[in-house]
Amino acid sequence: MTPLDANVELPTEVKAMIEQSSDVQATTALVNYVIKLAAAAEIHFTDIQLQVLTNHLIEMLGRSKSGEQLPAVDPTMFAEVSQKSLDLADQVVQHIGHLEVAEKYVLSIHFEAAQDKI
């Protein structure tokens, strides 16, 4: 079994956030996908990091459906973010679909924080 096949046990707070989201099924699937993707890259989130990440993923799903866009970001502001974090974030953005490139940069911070245990 690979990390992407493993079942994910979510903290109670994260489960509550998902239950309050507008699309519980899509949110659950996305949160599990991201956790497994990160685990395959040997990145693991603390419960607090996972709460913040889940909130961001819920917002990303909403923007994907509504067409709302984040303001453009300057990629040079993310020069110190590892390529690994950027690549993982890009995979998530592509997985969700219908999102602007700015989403990748903002999302990459979650992977970077978990990787650096910030």
Side-chain angles (χ1 to χ4, degrees):
M1 179 183 336
T2 69
L4 290 174
D5 297 327
N7 288 327
V8 176
E9 181 58 34
L10 299 173
T12 303
E13 297 83 1
V14 172
K15 289 179 186 176
M17 293 171 73
I18 291 171
E19 288 298 320
Q20 294 173 4
S21 70
S22 63
D23 188 338
V24 173
Q25 186 175 0
T27 303
T28 300
L30 180 60
V31 170
N32 284 322
Y33 171 79
V34 172
I35 291 169
K36 291 172 186 177
L37 186 68
E42 299 182 357
I43 296 174
H44 304 281
F45 301 101
T46 66
D47 286 358
I48 298 294
Q49 288 171 335
L50 190 54
Q51 287 176 45
V52 176
L53 172 64
T54 298
N55 184 65
H56 189 171
L57 294 172
I58 290 168
E59 291 174 357
M60 289 175 72
L61 278 173
R63 285 191 292 274
S64 173
K65 291 177 182 177
S66 72
E68 178 187 352
Q69 298 179 9
L70 284 179
V73 298
D74 178 358
T76 61
M77 292 175 49
F78 297 84
E80 293 185 28
V81 174
S82 69
Q83 192 61 49
K84 179 179 184 178
S85 293
L86 288 167
D87 290 346
L88 290 168
D90 188 53
Q91 287 180 55
V92 174
V93 169
Q94 297 304 316
H95 178 79
I96 296 170
H98 309 289
L99 294 168
E100 295 298 314
V101 69
E103 298 277 1
K104 170 180 92 168
Y105 292 103
V106 177
L107 182 62
S108 70
I109 298 304
H110 295 281
F111 293 107
E112 196 72 6
Q115 203 170 207
D116 293 341
K117 300 296 183 215
I118 296 173

